[in-house]
Amino acid sequence: MADYPVKWFSNDMGGAPALGDTSAGDFIALLKACLITGFNVTPVASATYEAESSEVLVTLTTGHGFKAWQVIEVSGADQESYNGQHRVTSVGSDWVRYAPDSAPSVSPATGSTIEIKAAPVGGWQVADEDASTHRIAFRRTGAAATDHVLMIENNGNQGDRSAQWLARMRVCESFVDIETFEEVAVQYWPASHRYSTPEWAIVADELMMFFTTRYGHIDKRSTLVAGNLNTIRPGDASHFIINGADKSSSAEWNNNHSFYAGFGSLASINYRSIARAYHQLPGSTTWALKGIGTQMGGPFKYPNPQTNGFYISPNELMVMESEGLRGYMPGLMQPLQSSPVYHAAILDNLPGLEGIPVLLWSTTLGREYYTDEVLLAWRLDDWRKGVGA
């Protein structure tokens, strides 16, 4: 069966969880849906294999909300070739198509209740939760995962004195339950779309997630990351990284002091933590991305004057610690140009990346007052292939 270890999600997918303006707990519900349960469970009217295209045509109701390149999960068919996870190849108002691993023996599919949904990332589980106080702890279950638990508090006044706008993200060792743990790093993530559109996106695999949301008086995007990098240090048990945004009391989102994570910078170490330094002794340290130049989306003009083309470096970005190389950022690549026309696009014909779907998303270049946005790019194939984590 085909394996899709990397999933992506956005607020405009059918049935996607809403990121509220001020509601506590919305961010936790969003993460649970994307990482663990999936969403948009939809009954299938019919699923028919088309031999000419080697694809399955799934007939649904109008306005189903599934998107091309999205990974779906099919269940309930008597013929296993229809079931499982598949990447959507095309969509219409009341249908989707996908390519099964093998031609089904029967067409159309039979089954008492056939359904599809947005497939969850998988490999994440709830280690503990207190719904009454909007706290949750996520553990990764994959064999390559470090023992760190990501504990999230989305219960209000986490980094802001008047509303539930920021979530406290704790990286924990020696986790027993939501009251008993050792905090090794903490950052703050925007947990609402305050003063902006309810836009968000997640790209993740079983060891790491990237989260981008749009908020604030200047209506820009911030990109956050949490999980295991592709380390190069033998025996590395502490390569969990996280970043965040400034939580200072001046960072109220109803004025010009909208604070962002500055993920577009290839030089910044601000609000970026690794659970432990390379020597593995207790104590977090900082990290920075290293690529071509000092920022994502550079250094070339768009379009490239010599070819009228758009280019992305096919290499993963380096993760630097104390002027040394700790590893590589999984799946993330550096666009060499920026243009708003590519925001939210998925391309599989980029030079040097032919046949590999690449998701593009805009994010802020800096942390404060910046109006410039640059492109980020993620491969949607396996982020860990050939890597000994």
Side-chain angles (χ1 to χ4, degrees), residues 231-275:
T231 181
I232 63 168
R233 186 192 187 283
D236 197 342
S238 298
H239 54 286
F240 191 107
I241 66 172
I242 191 168
N243 73 327
D246 190 344
K247 73 172 185 68
S248 68
S249 60
S250 64
E252 297 177 67
W253 295 358
N254 60 350
N255 58 31
N256 289 327
H257 293 267
S258 299
F259 282 68
Y260 298 90
F263 204 74
S265 170
L266 296 181
S268 175
I269 61 172
N270 293 306
Y271 305 101
R272 300 182 182 189
S273 305
I274 303 178

Side-chain angles (χ1 to χ4, degrees), residues 124 136-138 140 146-153 167-175 181-189 207 209 225-228 237-244 272-276 283-285 287:
W124 295 71
I136 194 169
F138 289 104
R140 287 89 38 76
T146 58
D147 291 334
H148 299 93
V149 168
L150 182 63
M151 180 174 161
I152 302 171
E153 296 171 75
R168 178 156 45 198
M169 313 289 288
R170 301 177 188 266
V171 181
C172 303
E173 295 179 348
S174 304
F175 182 89
F181 57 87
E182 180 182 348
E183 177 187 299
V184 295
V186 61
Q187 295 290 345
Y188 292 82
W189 286 17
L207 302 181
M209 65 172 166
V225 63
N228 289 154
S238 298
H239 54 286
F240 191 107
I241 66 172
I242 191 168
N243 73 327
R272 300 182 182 189
S273 305
I274 303 178
R276 295 190 183 197
S284 64
T285 189
W287 58 273

Side-chain angles (χ1 to χ4, degrees), residues 162-212:
S162 61
Q164 300 89 354
W165 302 340
L166 299 179
R168 178 156 45 198
M169 313 289 288
R170 301 177 188 266
V171 181
C172 303
E173 295 179 348
S174 304
F175 182 89
V176 177
D177 57 38
I178 215 159
E179 304 291 350
T180 311
F181 57 87
E182 180 182 348
E183 177 187 299
V184 295
V186 61
Q187 295 290 345
Y188 292 82
W189 286 17
S192 83
H193 68 274
R194 186 71 169 169
Y195 302 112
S196 185
T197 57
E199 179 189 296
W200 58 265
I202 287 178
V203 194
D205 74 350
E206 67 175 6
L207 302 181
M208 174 173 277
M209 65 172 166
F210 295 86
F211 172 66
T212 301

